[in-house]
Amino acid sequence: MARFKNKSGDELHIGRADGRRVDAGEVIEVDGELTEEIDDAYIVGKGDDERAWPKETWELVKEAGKADKTGKEND
């Protein structure tokens, strides 16, 4: 499971306008694992389940002591 924090300062809806509401500063857990990180987004899932989480509005929250995809451990 990947975790993201809404860093936009605004209330957002996931997926669609009537999707789950996420308040500014709220951390959510989403289905799927981080599979790729590109310049402007985090990619979670693969194939039909792939979803981009724009870095402009979402911050990836890593668990302390867990390695990221580079193998470097977070404190």
Side-chain angles (χ1 to χ4, degrees):
M1 298 285 212
R3 293 170 22 133
F4 292 98
K5 178 179 180 180
N6 174 358
K7 68 177 192 173
S8 71
D10 296 317
E11 176 185 286
L12 300 175
H13 293 266
I14 298 176
R16 306 181 336 206
D18 62 348
R20 180 177 183 267
R21 188 187 83 211
V22 181
D23 294 324
E26 183 179 350
V27 175
I28 60 165
E29 192 170 274
V30 299
D31 291 335
E33 298 295 326
L34 178 68
T35 55
E36 186 178 0
E37 184 174 343
I38 57 178
D39 289 338
D40 62 350
Y42 302 102
I43 308 300
V44 174
K46 291 186 178 194
D48 290 341
D49 295 326
E50 185 175 275
R51 180 183 169 108
W53 295 82
K55 291 181 177 180
E56 183 177 324
T57 53
W58 299 100
E59 175 184 337
L60 181 65
V61 178
K62 298 176 185 171
E63 293 181 44
K66 275 206 166 180
D68 63 18
K69 68 180 196 170
T70 65
K72 184 177 178 184
E73 201 168 281
N74 298 301
D75 295 322

